[in-house]
Amino acid sequence: MAARHIVLRGTAAAGLAVDASIHLKLAHQYAPVASSTINEGTLFRIEATAAIVAALLVLLWRHRFGDRFAWLTAAAGLAAILFYRYADPGALGPLPDMYEPIWFTDKVWALLGQATALAALTPLIARRSRRHGGHRVHHQAEDTAAGPVRDRPGA
C-alpha cells in the first residue's frame, strides 16, 4: 500500500476517533433530551459506535465498503451538527428536538474530526471509483476492437 494511502487511512481513522470520543463523552449530558421513543444520548452513542466501527474498517479491512461506510458516517455526523446548529425543525418523528444554536469546544472538535475523516476518505473512494471505472472502459474498448464475441475465432 502506498505511503499516501497509509497517511489518508490514518488521518481518517484519527478523525473518526475524535468524533467517537466526543460523542461518548457527551452522551450522558444529552440523555435527558428525549422524544417519546429515543433520547439524544442514545443517538450520540449510536454515532460513537458507528465512528468506532468505521475507523476499524478503514484501518483493518481496507475495502471499498468500509471506506464508504466510514465516509457516510462522517458525512451524516457533520450534516447533523450543521443542520441542528442552523435549523430548528423541532422533533422529527422519533427523533427529539436537537436544535442547539451555539458552538462550544466539544462540538467544534467533533465537527473537525468528521470533516478531517471526510477529507481523507474522499480521495480513497474517488481513486477506487476511477480505477474500477477505467477497467470497465478498457474491457469495452477491447471488445469493440475485437468485434462482437460471436465473430471472434473460437467464440
Side-chain angles (χ1 to χ4, degrees), residues 78 81-86 100-112:
L78 183 64
I81 286 177
L82 293 173
F83 179 72
Y84 286 111
R85 164 59 179 87
Y86 295 108
E100 188 174 51
I102 59 170
W103 289 107
F104 54 93
T105 304
D106 284 335
K107 187 184 231 181
V108 171
W109 276 110
L111 179 124
L112 290 173

Side-chain angles (χ1 to χ4, degrees), residues 33-36 38 83-84 88-99:
V33 180
S35 67
S36 60
I38 193 165
F83 179 72
Y84 286 111
D88 185 5
L92 297 172
L95 302 177
D97 182 359
M98 296 187 288
Y99 178 61

Side-chain angles (χ1 to χ4, degrees), residues 10-135:
T11 301
L16 290 161
V18 168
D19 175 34
S21 67
I22 296 296
H23 279 86
L24 284 175
K25 175 184 170 185
L26 297 176
H28 74 282
Q29 294 175 12
Y30 284 88
V33 180
S35 67
S36 60
T37 57
I38 193 165
N39 70 57
E40 198 169 347
T42 299
L43 295 173
F44 273 45
R45 287 180 189 92
I46 291 168
E47 169 66 20
T49 302
I52 291 166
V53 169
L56 291 173
L57 289 174
V58 165
L59 287 175
L60 303 176
W61 194 25
R62 298 188 308 263
H63 187 270
R64 180 178 32 215
F65 173 81
D67 293 348
R68 289 179 178 163
F69 175 79
W71 191 94
L72 288 171
T73 298
L78 183 64
I81 286 177
L82 293 173
F83 179 72
Y84 286 111
R85 164 59 179 87
Y86 295 108
D88 185 5
L92 297 172
L95 302 177
D97 182 359
M98 296 187 288
Y99 178 61
E100 188 174 51
I102 59 170
W103 289 107
F104 54 93
T105 304
D106 284 335
K107 187 184 231 181
V108 171
W109 276 110
L111 179 124
L112 290 173
Q114 293 160 341
T116 299
L118 278 174
L121 289 163
T122 297
L124 290 172
I125 292 170
R127 177 193 63 84
R128 286 184 175 202
S129 295
R130 280 194 315 269
R131 185 178 69 190
H132 291 299
H135 284 306

